Amino acid sequence: MNIIISNSVDEPIYLQIVNQFKEQIIKGELVESQPLPSIRNLAKELKISVITTKRAYDELENGGFIVTVAGKGSYVAAINKDMFRESKLKMMEEKMTEAIDTAKLIGLTLEEIQDMVKIIYKGW
């Protein structure tokens, strides 16, 4: 498991942890029932507050990515990757709809929007 914390980004530390765990779970790098480091051990390893680590684990548990068993620790939960993908697609559609509405408001054509999407997708 490889979690990298950056102080040079605007994203809070707990969200950096959450997003990196989610990514590793979705990619299959962390598998169902795999034990995770204890909250204290992860905090020590990352040199961050236990409170921050606890918040990340709580967020992951609320999202259904991990389960915590009292006295035993936290483990990767069985997730439905199709449902997760579907929820992300819905979120993308909402954001894209908002962006397209804004583009129409300022008079961009479909071709200009497509060009912009291609540039962004390729990483500028």
Side-chain angles (χ1 to χ4, degrees), residues 3 5 13-21 42 46 48 56:
I3 302 294
I5 301 300
I13 292 173
Y14 86 94
L15 269 182
Q16 291 179 49
I17 295 168
V18 167
N19 291 334
Q20 289 178 56
F21 269 124
L42 185 61
L46 298 176
I48 60 173

Side-chain angles (χ1 to χ4, degrees), residues 29-45:
E29 295 168 7
L30 295 174
V31 295
E32 181 181 341
S33 300
Q34 182 174 345
L36 300 176
S38 72
I39 290 171
R40 292 185 196 285
N41 284 345
L42 185 61
K44 184 177 179 182
E45 181 183 321

Side-chain angles (χ1 to χ4, degrees), residues 75-104:
Y75 301 86
V76 176
I79 62 162
N80 184 333
K81 290 183 181 181
D82 291 332
M83 260 182 77
F84 178 76
R85 185 176 191 276
E86 196 61 38
S87 71
K88 290 298 182 186
L89 283 172
K90 184 177 185 233
M91 184 176 67
M92 280 181 54
E93 287 172 5
E94 291 169 1
K95 290 181 179 184
M96 289 177 78
T97 299
E98 183 181 338
I100 290 169
D101 288 345
T102 302
K104 286 179 178 179

Side-chain angles (χ1 to χ4, degrees), residues 48-62:
I48 60 173
S49 164
V50 171
I51 295 168
T52 301
T53 310
K54 170 106 174 79
R55 185 170 181 190
Y57 274 39
D58 287 346
E59 183 92 8
L60 288 163
E61 189 161 18
N62 291 337

